[in-house]
Every structure is written in C-alpha cells, then in structure tokens.
Amino acid sequence: MFNRNRGLRTVAALASISVMAGCGVFSDGNSDDRGPIVVGTTSAPSTLDPAASWDGSWELFRNIYQTLLAYPTGATAPEPDAAKGCRFTDGSNTTYRCELRSDMKFSDGDTLDAQAVKHSIDRIRQINAPSGPAGLLGSLDRVQVTGAREVVFHLNKPDATFPFVLATPAMSIVDPDDYPAHSLRKDGKVFGSGPYTLKSYADGKEAQLVRNDHYKGFAQRQNSAVTIRYFQDSGTMVRALRAGKIDVTYRGLAADDIVALQGRASKTLQLVDGSGTDINYLVFNPKDPWAGKLAVRKAVAQVVDRGAITHKIYRDTVDPLYSMVPKGLTGHTTAFYDDFGDPSVPKARKLLTDAGITRRVPLTLWYTSDRYGSETALEFREIKRQLEDSGLFTITLKSRPWKTYVTGYQKGEYPVFGRGWFPDFPDAENFIAPFVGQQNALGTPYPSTRITDVLLPESRRENDRADVVKEFEDAQQVLVDDARLLPLWQGRQYVAASDDVSGGEQSLDPSTIMMMWKLYRKTSW
C-alpha cells in the first residue's frame, strides 16, 4: 500500500515546528554499502559562490557551507552553528557579538577564524553582485574582529532580525585564501566548513556530497554521502524515483505527480506533505508604459482568479494567497481580498475607464521555463485566458530559462513577470523588505518610504516578533495600494521517497531548505 499515512502522521514536524533546546556537537556517521542517498530536485544552483546568490542555490550551500547561526531540527529561531554563541550586547539591537567554536577548520584543513567571518560578510557588499544577497545587509554598518574567535557586527540602525540574516546560507563562511575579496570565485571549486564536502559538481546535472571530517556544528549526520541530481521537469524526476534511480524527490514536484503519488497504491513509495511558506506572485515594471499605470495593475488584480489557478492548474496542491505574507506567519492578512473581493470584470472595467483607458490593454507576461516546475507555463496560459476573456487585455506570453531570465528582469526588460519566493527566514519581514527599496531581490526598484523608512525600522526594534503585527499589517496595505506585486498562491511542502528512506519529515528547516544529513536508509540501522 502507498505509505502516505505514515508521512502524514509525522508532518507536524513540518507544519508546526517547536523549539528544541541545545545545539551541541554530536558524534555521527553512518556507513551504508548501498551507496549514497540520491536526492532529485528541479532547482539547480545558479552559482557555487554565496556572494552571488539570492536564490535556490542556498539548498546546496546549507549542506556544504556553514553559517554562524542556523536551525537545528525543531527550531523556529536561529541557534549557534559555527558560533559557540551569539547575542545582542546592547539594549538597542545595534551591536551583535558572536564567539566561534574552538579549532574550526574548512574542509581543506585551513583555519576558520573570526577574520574569515569578516572576510565572508564584507565581500558580499564589496562585490555587490546583481543577483547577490547584499540587500540583506542593509542594516550592517561594519564588521569588527576583536579576537581570533570573536566577531562583532555594528549595525547602523536597530535590527532584531539580524540574527535571522546571519542564519541564511547567503552568509556562508568562506576561506579568504580561496575566495577573492572583490570578485567571485570562478574555478568551480568549493571549500566550506559544512557537514559535507562537495566531491564533484556537474553544472545543472549532479552534485556529489561526502562527509566533511573537519565539520563542527549541530548537524548529526545520518548518512555518509548524498548525491543530488538536477532534473529539468517533474515527470522525469518522478519516473526516476519509481525506477529506483533516485531515493528522494524534493522541490519541483508537479501537481499531477503529487496527486498520482497520493492516490496510487505502492509498496515502495511514501509521500510526506506539510504546510509551506513559499509563495508565487507577479511583478509589475513601473517603467513600462502600461504596467506602470496604477489603474492597469489594479484591473489585473481585480480580474485574476486565484481559485481557478490553484484548482485547475495545481489541482489544489497549493492554496490561494491574498497577501505577500503567507498564512502561518505572524502578521499575515488577506489584504488583496479585503480590497478587491472576488474577481469582477465590471469592477476592473470601471478602474480602467475612470483612468481614461477604454481600449484593450496590451501586456507581455514573462515566466521562467525551468525553475518552478512544469505547471508554470500552464499557469501563465490560465492567467492569459482570464485576462483576455475579460475583454480588457491583450496578452502576449514569453519565457526564458532561469539563468537568462534573471538577467532579463534585472535589466528591466519585462513589463510583467512571474517570480517565486522561498523565504530567507521565517518572519513576515522577509516577505516585505526584500521587495522594496532601490536595491531589492527583484532587480526592479520599488521606492516605498512608508515601508522602508517607517514601518520596517519600527518593527526591527522589537525582539518579540508578536509585537510587530500592526507594522506588518500596515506594510501589506501599502503593497495592496501600490499593486506593484500581485500574490497568487502559497505552496505546500512535499517530499516523496522510497519506502526504505527515512528522515524526510525532519529534513526541512523553517526556510524549507533540505538538510540532507537527516536522511537515512532504514535497512542500514
């Protein structure tokens, strides 16, 4: 029988994560003469250098690099990893001190000290790669080394979320001898200090991970090696799972495949599902002559039927989303539904005619052909159908592979384009701050002084995130009023695996990044 119930009984580990105390160093290691556990995904890295990545490359980084803070299984707040301990040393959340564990080393045996931490953070800003994570460090003034194992972060404004930033794989610690201060590493090699060493890498095809014997941190490795295989589409990946060519699939499962896995009897497969915080949305380019008009953006928001998209295209494996902050996070609202209600062509027509627009609005919608799963093309065809059936729009669809797609939106080439967002950290701030300001994760400047100069600074003064609900609610209303971003749906997390592999239900951190070290074969115990 298809072993889905087993996964559902343990899905609380994904859907409702409780705080786990302690993060000491564990002795670990597990030999398996059946070879490495093989994980399939459709999310291939765009780069191997942390200074260049603010995307799904983080999944690989989490396993081969190390950060000062990270998330042990069950934790909802960052806890020390490369660090022995970290804390704010003042009452204003502007000085953050970390002490490293003793005798830290990179996988090649080089020393990992406070100077390496400073080098790693500084180079992110010095390089300032177009697709890099420098935007996460907006509150950082300078990094100070006060001892071989002590580093102090001086912030230019109060920021209670700074520990969350340090826990992102973007802040991976790299060896100053191997990673230039002012340029990206281009030799295709990696020397990190994470649980695994990158033994070999074939771009877009495969990454072979083996145990890093120099690792010190909280990860208790349940296996000695993992191979990650990158697929272009979900169907090929699931066929490989059924054929026993891979052991686990994650990220990129198509809706049809999920439904088939849920309903098809099997003695060899299991499916774990749980709530997720990844979101899918549209971005409007304000420099486009049509997408730059507020009335046009609001008319699109008034016509788009999220329920039809989630049901017809994704077969209810995702949920409609009416705010950029997803359900399950403190501060979530339904602001778009509150303002626009159900889809309505008459209301959309009135928005346009009140703005003096009486002709069909021509818009070109762009999507990536190989990043978010095989339904993306179908989703955009459905959006095109909805908008054109209203009689108010003429829609042209275009697509590109991810690497060239990113370059295009960074250059401002797309009037309207689709994006997905997997959170950097589990806080409502991370679904607002990355998208606003002159430099943001979208490559499309979005000045919003009410958010950037008032609401976010106010929220960052509060250590207790439950006390900043009002600020996040106000920020979400600003996003609705501007209609520069249009949330569409919120994902769920699915891990499909062969029946002899365990750990899938515990392998996702709060940012839904897979911790490969949690996977193990039941037959090897």
Side-chain angles (χ1 to χ4, degrees):
M1 180 178 178
F2 185 81
N3 196 2
R4 180 169 185 264
N5 290 334
R6 174 187 171 281
L8 291 175
R9 285 198 298 269
T10 55
V11 78
L14 300 178
S16 179
I17 306 174
S18 60
V19 176
M20 181 180 75
C23 56
V25 182
F26 297 90
S27 60
D28 60 358
N30 174 45
S31 61
D32 189 346
D33 56 12
R34 296 179 58 189
I37 290 178
V38 183
V39 177
T41 177
T42 61
S43 183
S46 61
T47 177
L48 295 180
D49 192 326
S53 172
W54 199 347
D55 61 21
S57 304
W58 288 9
E59 289 181 1
L60 179 60
F61 294 173
R62 174 61 76 206
N63 292 277
I64 59 177
Y65 292 107
Q66 197 173 17
T67 47
L68 290 170
L69 303 165
Y71 300 93
T73 300
T76 55
E79 297 184 13
D81 189 15
K84 178 180 178 182
C86 295
R87 65 186 179 90
F88 281 107
T89 59
D90 62 340
S92 60
N93 292 336
T94 58
T95 305
Y96 195 71
R97 174 189 173 275
C98 289
E99 180 185 356
L100 292 172
R101 297 180 188 270
S102 60
D103 301 321
M104 294 290 290
K105 295 182 183 298
F106 291 102
S107 59
D108 62 351
D110 285 358
T111 299
L112 190 166
D113 56 14
Q115 192 60 49
V117 175
K118 174 177 169 57
H119 172 84
S120 302
I121 305 300
D122 285 347
R123 73 186 291 266
I124 292 173
R125 297 198 297 178
Q126 290 164 353
I127 295 172
N128 195 21
S131 56
L136 286 170
L137 295 171
S139 64
L140 179 62
D141 179 37
R142 62 189 175 92
V143 185
Q144 178 187 14
V145 172
T146 56
R149 293 170 49 205
E150 184 174 280
V151 60
V152 179
F153 300 91
H154 299 276
L155 310 184
N156 53 37
K157 52 194 170 186
D159 187 359
T161 69
F162 189 71
F164 289 90
V165 172
L166 288 180
T168 66
M171 305 300 140
S172 296
I173 304 168
V174 298
D175 191 338
D177 292 340
D178 299 312
Y179 292 78
H182 300 283
S183 62
L184 298 174
R185 183 172 186 174
K186 297 183 170 118
D187 63 3
K189 297 180 180 179
V190 168
F191 295 112
S193 60
Y196 298 97
T197 296
L198 186 62
K199 178 181 178 181
S200 67
Y201 179 74
D203 188 18
K205 296 180 180 179
E206 184 177 276
Q208 293 186 8
L209 282 56
V210 296
R211 174 190 171 96
N212 173 15
D213 291 331
H214 292 294
Y215 171 71
K216 284 189 174 183
F218 61 69
Q220 185 177 12
R221 289 162 292 193
Q222 303 296 319
N223 60 70
S224 58
V226 172
T227 295
I228 306 172
R229 290 186 183 154
Y230 302 109
F231 293 83
Q232 292 296 312
D233 61 86
S234 173
T236 304
M237 181 171 67
V238 172
R239 285 192 293 274
L241 176 67
R242 293 192 186 281
K245 295 179 180 179
I246 59 176
D247 301 302
V248 181
T249 66
Y250 173 62
R251 195 77 81 197
L253 282 172
D256 286 345
D257 291 316
I258 293 170
V259 172
L261 287 168
Q262 289 172 336
R264 180 175 174 175
S266 173
K267 295 180 179 179
T268 59
L269 297 178
Q270 56 179 307
L271 183 71
V272 177
D273 68 15
S275 61
T277 53
D278 58 299
I279 66 172
N280 184 273
Y281 56 98
L282 294 179
V283 183
F284 294 87
N285 186 345
K287 294 184 179 180
D288 180 78
W290 287 107
K293 298 180 185 294
L294 178 60
V296 169
R297 301 195 299 269
K298 288 195 169 185
V300 172
Q302 187 63 75
V303 169
V304 167
D305 187 341
R306 295 167 177 82
I309 293 171
T310 59
H311 180 67
K312 291 172 58 177
I313 307 303
Y314 291 96
R315 301 184 66 179
D316 300 317
T317 61
V318 301
D319 299 310
L321 182 64
Y322 298 94
S323 165
M324 290 298 289
V325 177
K327 292 179 290 185
L329 292 185
T330 300
H332 164 74
T333 71
T334 56
F336 270 91
Y337 187 84
D338 297 342
D339 272 35
F340 292 96
D342 293 323
S344 171
V345 173
K347 289 181 180 179
R349 182 178 291 109
K350 186 175 188 306
L351 286 166
L352 293 174
T353 55
D354 286 352
I357 301 171
T358 56
R359 55 168 288 191
R360 276 183 177 255
V361 175
L363 285 176
T364 300
L365 274 58
W366 282 82
Y367 62 92
T368 177
S369 58
D370 62 351
R371 187 65 173 179
Y372 302 124
S374 55
E375 290 97 352
T376 304
L378 299 176
E379 175 186 355
F380 273 75
R381 288 175 199 162
E382 171 63 16
I383 294 173
K384 171 184 168 72
R385 183 198 65 77
Q386 293 178 10
L387 294 177
E388 290 193 332
D389 284 358
S390 73
L392 303 175
F393 299 92
T394 299
I395 304 298
T396 301
L397 296 182
K398 293 186 178 182
S399 66
R400 286 177 179 170
W402 176 251
K403 288 188 177 182
T404 54
Y405 184 74
V406 171
T407 301
Y409 71 66
Q410 288 171 347
K411 292 181 178 179
E413 295 177 0
Y414 311 149
V416 186
F417 60 97
R419 280 295 309 269
W421 184 253
F422 298 94
D424 304 324
F425 50 85
D427 190 277
E429 148 131 354
N430 195 237
F431 291 86
I432 297 173
F435 309 131
V436 295
Q438 193 64 29
Q439 183 184 41
N440 60 49
L442 302 173
T444 304
Y446 181 4
S448 179
T449 54
R450 170 68 177 159
I451 295 177
T452 58
D453 297 353
V454 179
L455 296 174
L456 289 178
E458 287 177 357
S459 73
R460 288 166 178 164
R461 294 187 180 95
E462 293 290 343
N463 285 317
D464 188 342
R465 308 309 286 161
D467 291 338
V468 294
V469 171
K470 181 62 167 63
E471 287 83 355
F472 290 140
E473 289 177 346
D474 289 352
Q476 288 169 85
Q477 188 59 50
V478 171
L479 297 180
V480 172
D481 294 341
D482 292 343
R484 285 276 306 274
L485 307 169
L486 183 62
L488 297 174
W489 52 262
Q490 174 177 349
R492 302 176 196 167
Q493 297 307 317
Y494 296 91
V495 177
S498 60
D499 196 49
D500 69 336
V501 171
S502 288
E505 68 278 359
Q506 300 174 341
S507 64
L508 304 183
D509 76 5
S511 298
T512 67
I513 293 174
M514 181 170 275
M515 301 177 288
M516 303 293 177
W517 60 85
K518 300 301 296 183
L519 303 172
Y520 63 93
R521 298 188 193 279
K522 290 184 285 188
T523 54
S524 66
W525 286 82

